[in-house]
Amino acid sequence: MTIREQLTAVDELGELWALSLPGTTPPPSGTYASWLGTYPQSIIVYGLSRTASKARKLKEAGAPMDTEAATRYAASVMHHEAKGERRLPTRTPVAAIAA
C-alpha cells in the first residue's frame, strides 16, 4: 500500500467511524494507520461494524460506549478475527462486509 493509498484509507476509516459511531469522537488517525499496518482492511471494517452494533446496544441500555472503550473493543474484535477466533456462532463473512 502506497502512502497516498494509506492516507486515503485512513480518511475513509475516519468517515466510517463517524457514520457508524455517532456521538463518539473518532480516534486519532494514527490509530487507523496502526490498524492498517496490522490487519487487512476487510477485518478493520468488520471490527468497526461489530463495534457499532455493540455501541448501539449499550446506548439503548443506557450505558453508552465512549471513544476509548469503542477503540479497545474494535481492536479486540480485529485481533480475534485475524487469529480466526470468532466469538459469535453465526456472523456475516468478512468478504461480504467488505464488498
Side-chain angles (χ1 to χ4, degrees), residues 60-96:
E60 290 170 2
M65 188 180 266
D66 64 14
T67 299
E68 184 179 339
T71 303
R72 282 184 288 137
Y73 186 82
S76 176
V77 169
M78 293 172 212
H79 173 77
H80 290 289
E81 183 68 18
K83 288 177 62 178
E85 298 172 351
R86 296 181 180 91
R87 302 220 168 176
L88 295 176
T90 59
R91 68 177 184 87
T92 305
V94 171

Side-chain angles (χ1 to χ4, degrees), residues 1 3-21 26-27 29 32-33 35-36 41-42 44-45 48 98:
M1 178 178 281
I3 292 173
R4 185 176 307 264
E5 290 170 337
Q6 187 170 10
L7 291 172
T8 300
V10 165
D11 289 342
E12 290 172 350
L13 291 172
E15 290 175 24
L16 179 60
W17 181 287
L19 291 170
S20 302
L21 295 151
S29 59
Y32 304 122
W35 289 343
L36 286 165
Q41 196 165 359
S42 60
I44 298 169
V45 170
L48 293 179

